[in-house]
């Protein structure tokens, strides 16, 4: 009878070992699944961070180009002296009359002779 009892106990131990092994494999699988999800989230966060930085770089490069264009245009316009329209020298204002100033031009032929 001992043989029968020993033989009947082995399948129970074998089932317990298989059940324990199955539980360990399921637990390992769940741990790996959690790790994969965690790594996916970290990767997604890193991609979003990269996209944000690339967008900022694009914006700053465009802004720099724009400011350089403005600088090149304000150097030309800002540093030029402002011209105020002056009245032509031919015109003068007198108490008695307003009109053209008389300019005497000598005849070139007379000068050459």
């Amino acid at each position: 009878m001992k043989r029968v009892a020993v033989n009947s106990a082995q399948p129970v131990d074998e089932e317990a070992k298989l059940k324990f092994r199955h539980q360990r494999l399921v637990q390992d699988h769940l741990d790996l699944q959690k790790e994969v999800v965690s790594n996916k989230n970290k990767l997604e966060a890193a991609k979003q961070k990269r996209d944000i930085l690339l967008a900022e770089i694009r914006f700053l490069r465009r802004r720099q180009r724009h400011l350089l264009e403005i600088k090149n245009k304000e150097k030309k316009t800002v540093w030029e002296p402002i011209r105020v329209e002056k009245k032509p020298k031919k015109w003068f204002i007198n108490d008695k009359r307003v009109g053209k100033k008389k300019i005497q031009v000598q005849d070139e032929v007379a000068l050459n002779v």
Side-chain angles (χ1 to χ4, degrees):
M1 285 197 125
K2 281 187 177 182
R3 275 186 154 179
V4 174
V6 172
N7 288 338
S8 65
Q10 285 179 351
V12 174
D13 289 339
E14 196 67 32
E15 282 184 34
K17 286 180 184 179
L18 288 175
K19 200 178 265 188
F20 179 71
R21 184 173 177 208
H22 177 71
Q23 287 176 350
R24 262 193 328 190
L25 289 174
V26 168
Q27 187 63 40
D28 288 344
H29 176 71
L30 291 175
D31 291 341
L32 289 174
Q33 198 172 16
K34 285 180 185 178
E35 189 177 328
V36 167
V37 169
S38 173
N39 287 340
K40 275 186 179 180
N41 291 339
K42 287 179 185 177
L43 180 63
E44 188 64 31
K47 283 182 181 179
Q48 286 179 349
K49 196 176 210 179
R50 182 196 63 194
D51 291 343
I52 290 170
L53 290 174
L54 289 175
E56 286 181 9
I57 288 171
R58 275 194 311 270
F59 169 78
L60 291 173
R61 283 183 179 157
R62 274 190 269 135
R63 182 71 178 156
Q64 182 185 21
R65 267 189 263 129
H66 175 71
L67 291 175
L68 287 174
E69 288 174 5
I70 289 175
K71 184 179 177 185
N72 290 336
K73 286 180 183 177
E74 293 195 338
K75 276 186 178 178
K76 293 177 184 174
T77 57
V78 172
W79 295 108
E80 287 182 8
I82 300 173
R83 295 183 181 182
V84 179
E85 288 188 29
K86 296 180 182 177
K87 292 184 180 177
K89 292 182 180 179
K90 293 180 182 178
W91 293 87
F92 69 95
I93 298 176
N94 198 350
D95 290 337
K96 296 181 181 175
R97 66 180 203 204
V98 175
K100 285 189 174 181
K101 192 176 188 181
K102 292 184 180 178
I103 300 175
Q104 294 180 354
V105 179
Q106 295 180 349
D107 192 17
E108 291 182 23
V109 179
L111 292 174
N112 289 334
V113 175

